[in-house]
Amino acid sequence: PLSYGPSVLGVAICKDLDFIQLGRGYSRAGIGALLVPAWDFTTDGWLHGRMALLRGVEGGYAVIRAASEGLLTISDARGVVVAESRSSLEPAALLTGTVRLANSNTLRGFN
């Protein structure tokens, strides 16, 4: 985990978020947001983007995901997609949005 002001951030890459244990570990560490660079290969962008979003809901943190050939997504700890853009349609993509960086209460008995 990394400190960002009063918040703690985590970093995971791409397919790491297909596995629940990494997300649970970050939840136990109390992160406010998870930063995720990824590469989607166009056709699986939505699926992997939503798997990352689910890790955030399970762990109670925001997910900020930047994917080549897929979806750039900002989602809050409740799974609300704050902003989303495709990176597969243009040579470059930019996404901006505002999300709360705070660890939320969730069902932690599974952690």
Side-chain angles (χ1 to χ4, degrees):
L2 311 164
S3 292
Y4 180 74
S7 296
V8 177
L9 305 176
V11 178
I13 59 168
C14 202
K15 193 156 174 72
D16 287 350
L17 295 184
D18 289 4
F19 307 101
I20 197 167
Q21 294 298 47
L22 181 71
R24 287 180 177 171
Y26 273 125
S27 179
R28 286 190 298 273
I31 67 166
L34 187 62
L35 308 176
V36 185
W39 196 329
D40 285 339
F41 305 105
T42 308
T43 58
D44 62 354
W46 186 88
L47 173 67
H48 284 287
R50 291 316 186 257
M51 289 170 81
L53 180 146
L54 181 59
R55 295 292 89 85
V57 172
E58 292 168 343
Y61 47 79
V63 177
I64 302 164
R65 184 175 183 273
S68 178
E69 295 185 28
L71 293 176
L72 290 77
T73 308
I74 301 171
S75 58
D76 70 12
R78 302 286 186 235
V80 175
V81 176
V82 174
E84 185 173 75
S85 179
R86 291 198 175 277
S87 62
S88 56
L89 301 177
E90 301 291 333
L94 173 68
L95 181 68
T96 62
T98 302
V99 70
R100 186 170 177 247
L101 301 181
N103 196 276
S104 301
N105 291 327
T106 186
L107 296 173
R108 306 248 178 188
F110 299 105
N111 291 336

